Amino acid sequence: MQWNLRMRAAQAGIWKSTEMRRRLAEHGLEISAGKMSALWTGAPTTIRLDDLDVICVVLGCTPTDLLICEPDKVAARRPAQASTGAGPQPSPRLGRHTSVPPA
């Protein structure tokens, strides 16, 4: 996912993180300066849905405007299929143990 906060903020006329932080506080979301800096400068690893909701209200947008899917990156993470020509690998058969437990 690509985090698009700064672009959406610029479209709303917000050019500084301090201005964004002030507007979020006006809507009831108090964010520390460190957390605001992290949201402003990079993609968050996690974000609360309540916080995302307030951000969307302040910017007049939807979550899909802030979180942009990147299907190419998802495809690049997919493990490569081995082309051995041996056909499909057999799946393990669960519940059919043939060994005797230790005595």
Side-chain angles (χ1 to χ4, degrees), residues 29-53:
L29 179 59
E30 294 287 336
I31 293 184
S32 68
K35 184 175 178 181
M36 187 69 238
S37 176
L39 289 173
W40 194 256
T41 59
T45 55
T46 61
I47 188 165
R48 292 182 47 206
L49 294 178
D50 293 342
D51 295 354
L52 183 61
D53 196 27

Side-chain angles (χ1 to χ4, degrees), residues 14-61:
I14 302 171
W15 300 100
K16 295 183 178 182
S17 65
T18 53
E19 174 68 15
M20 181 70 184
R21 187 173 172 220
R22 185 186 62 76
R23 290 195 190 187
L24 291 173
E26 289 173 357
H27 285 82
L29 179 59
E30 294 287 336
I31 293 184
S32 68
K35 184 175 178 181
M36 187 69 238
S37 176
L39 289 173
W40 194 256
T41 59
T45 55
T46 61
I47 188 165
R48 292 182 47 206
L49 294 178
D50 293 342
D51 295 354
L52 183 61
D53 196 27
V54 175
I55 291 169
C56 288
V57 167
V58 167
L59 296 178
C61 66

Side-chain angles (χ1 to χ4, degrees), residues 58-80:
V58 167
L59 296 178
C61 66
T62 64
T64 56
D65 296 326
L66 293 174
L67 298 168
I68 300 171
C69 293
E70 296 179 307
D72 295 337
K73 285 188 177 181
V74 173
R77 291 180 60 171
R78 187 175 301 140

Side-chain angles (χ1 to χ4, degrees), residues 70-95:
E70 296 179 307
D72 295 337
K73 285 188 177 181
V74 173
R77 291 180 60 171
R78 187 175 301 140
Q81 296 288 332
S83 59
T84 60
Q89 296 293 322
S91 60
R93 299 168 78 186
L94 303 176

